[in-house]
Amino acid sequence: MSKQTKFNFAAGPATLPHEVHEQIISEWLDWNNMQVPLVEVGHRTEQFTNLMAENEKLLRELMIIPDNYRVLFLHGGAQMQFSLVPMNLLGKNNAADYLIYGHWAKTAFNEAQRYGNIKAFNMRSSTESYEIILPNENELNPQAAYLHLCTNETIDGMQLKNLPKTKAPIVADMSSDILSKKIDVTQYGLIYACTQKNLGVSGLAIIIVRDDLLNQAMELTPSILNYKKQAEAKSLYNTSNTFACYVTGLILQWLKNQGGVEAIEKINLRKAQKLYACIDQSHFYHNKIAPSARSIMNVTFNLANKELEEKFLQEAKGYGLLYLRGHKVSGGIRASIYNAMPEEGVDKLVGFMQQFENQN
Ligand code: PMP
């Protein structure tokens, strides 16, 4: 058992593993025998380019990324990709399909509309439906440059469990569930994720893109935002976010030490099951998502009214259960339980929820 007494359930920037905090502190003043902190080390030094190469190697190993995919570490987080994906992929055929069942895919769709002929598919039958219904293959455009989807809707607490059948390359926003479970990279043309959830701190995005998609950028795409140019420059077209790259490296190594994705997936499933069981066994907490669409990373729930939710949040804070407030667009409570949330954090939350129910 660790000595950890406070648990951060924020959706992102999110909790980092304890071991990673300790490593950052221990090597802060003298990184890699360079006598200065990492943040003062040049991005073109041998040591830093080695760090980038090691990050790529680790990510390839953990996700089993085939050789015909490039791995990029780019500025700007996930929303930056809402523009970069259309700019980089709509140059030849100007059409794409977007599947929507939550906030982030809707935002990505709104942004993409600036660049081409974008069609939206609503995967929920109504705003009151919390089930995900995939479109049939014959409804989708086989000529589309790509089909965009979000694998986990962080705000809505919903997660896609199956991919649609389509001839178009699938582009996935995996910001909030990358590395949380095994996936088959070859099912995707492009995967992107911001780093402030399962990959470290904010300011960076990871892009995994199949080689054949690197030759279809729109003319207007700025060089620094061009996937092909960034791939050629090994993501060092300009000064990169060196600190975020460093923390991502520590996270990847930490995950490898935990036994990799397969091992963390088992823990993640157990953590989510404990929380959903606690909710389902009570008449006090309510989760409206269909079981087939429930997220294992972001568990959302409500209490009978807003006053009770406020009381819950206040008392939880007193127990060291922090940042459980739901996103402002959906309200309620949200427990983000990414890879770095220890199981004991979830156990403590479940214990608190049972106690709060008994006392209210
Ligand atoms: N997509 C998803 C699924 C997200 O959860 C988030 C952030 N919470 C974003 C996109 C936007 O990420 P960023 O703030 O890094 O632009």
Side-chain angles (χ1 to χ4, degrees), residues 2-8 18 316-322 344-345 348:
S2 78
K3 287 190 253 37
Q4 195 169 340
T5 54
K6 291 191 172 131
F7 296 94
N8 180 2
H18 205 59
K317 195 171 161 192
Y319 276 86
L321 301 164
L322 307 174
E344 57 178 306
K348 189 167 172 177

Side-chain angles (χ1 to χ4, degrees), residues 69-326:
Y69 285 75
R70 298 302 106 217
V71 176
L72 310 176
F73 298 84
L74 302 186
H75 302 273
Q79 285 208 63
M80 180 82 117
Q81 302 309 313
F82 293 176
S83 294
L84 264 62
V85 165
M87 277 200 261
N88 277 277
L89 300 185
L90 289 179
K92 279 191 191 146
N93 175 1
N94 202 236
D97 287 339
Y98 274 63
L99 305 192
I100 299 171
Y101 65 94
H103 175 91
W104 288 112
K106 179 90 170 55
T107 313
F109 163 72
N110 289 341
E111 194 63 27
Q113 280 179 302
R114 299 162 181 272
Y115 301 97
N117 176 14
I118 309 294
K119 189 166 173 199
F121 291 83
N122 191 350
M123 293 161 78
R124 281 161 60 179
S125 51
S126 74
T127 47
E128 295 312 309
S129 157
Y130 294 93
E131 217 170 332
I132 300 175
I133 301 152
L134 288 173
N136 290 324
E137 186 172 6
N138 59 12
E139 296 172 71
L140 299 166
N141 177 2
Q143 310 293 336
Y146 63 94
L147 176 142
H148 181 279
L149 51 83
C150 177
T151 53
N152 186 68
E153 284 286 2
T154 322
I155 294 177
D156 308 74
M158 294 174 79
Q159 190 169 27
L160 194 62
K161 306 290 162 84
N162 298 300
L163 290 178
K165 277 204 171 61
T166 171
K167 294 200 169 47
I170 295 180
V171 170
D173 176 357
M174 280 191 196
S175 290
S176 47
D177 65 353
I178 193 164
L179 290 166
S180 67
K181 60 183 176 112
K182 274 200 298 181
I183 61 147
D184 176 3
V185 172
T186 64
Q187 290 186 303
Y188 301 86
L190 187 150
I191 292 167
Y192 65 88
C194 56
T195 47
Q196 67 268 23
K197 302 165 197 299
N198 268 339
L199 280 162
V201 294
S202 63
L204 198 67
I206 283 186
I207 293 93
I208 301 162
V209 53
R210 214 171 55 210
D211 282 337
D212 61 289
L213 298 175
L214 289 176
N215 286 313
Q216 54 196 66
M218 295 174 85
E219 281 291 319
L220 57 79
T221 312
S223 300
I224 193 173
L225 305 181
N226 183 300
Y227 292 150
K228 188 166 183 222
K229 290 187 180 162
Q230 283 283 10
E232 284 161 3
K234 296 195 181 310
S235 307
L236 292 172
Y237 190 90
N238 77 325
T239 315
S240 69
N241 184 339
T242 55
F243 181 70
C245 292
Y246 159 70
V247 180
T248 292
L250 300 182
I251 292 286
L252 295 173
Q253 188 57 56
W254 171 84
L255 182 54
K256 189 176 168 180
N257 296 345
Q258 305 306 302
V261 175
E262 209 172 325
I264 211 83
E265 179 175 8
K266 288 198 188 108
I267 302 171
N268 285 335
L269 284 171
R270 217 167 45 223
K271 289 189 301 191
Q273 273 157 7
K274 282 181 179 178
L275 263 175
Y276 286 119
C278 169
I279 294 165
D280 291 343
Q281 281 157 16
S282 91
H283 295 290
F284 192 76
Y285 303 107
H286 308 280
N287 169 285
K288 49 196 172 200
I289 316 293
S292 60
R294 282 175 165 181
S295 168
I296 63 160
M297 293 280 100
N298 309 97
V299 177
T300 53
F301 58 94
N302 288 87
L303 281 75
N305 56 54
K306 270 199 155 66
E307 290 70 46
L308 207 51
E309 286 177 351
E310 282 306 320
K311 190 169 180 226
F312 178 93
L313 290 167
Q314 280 311 317
E315 288 189 21
K317 195 171 161 192
Y319 276 86
L321 301 164
L322 307 174
Y323 303 107
L324 281 159
R325 189 183 293 280

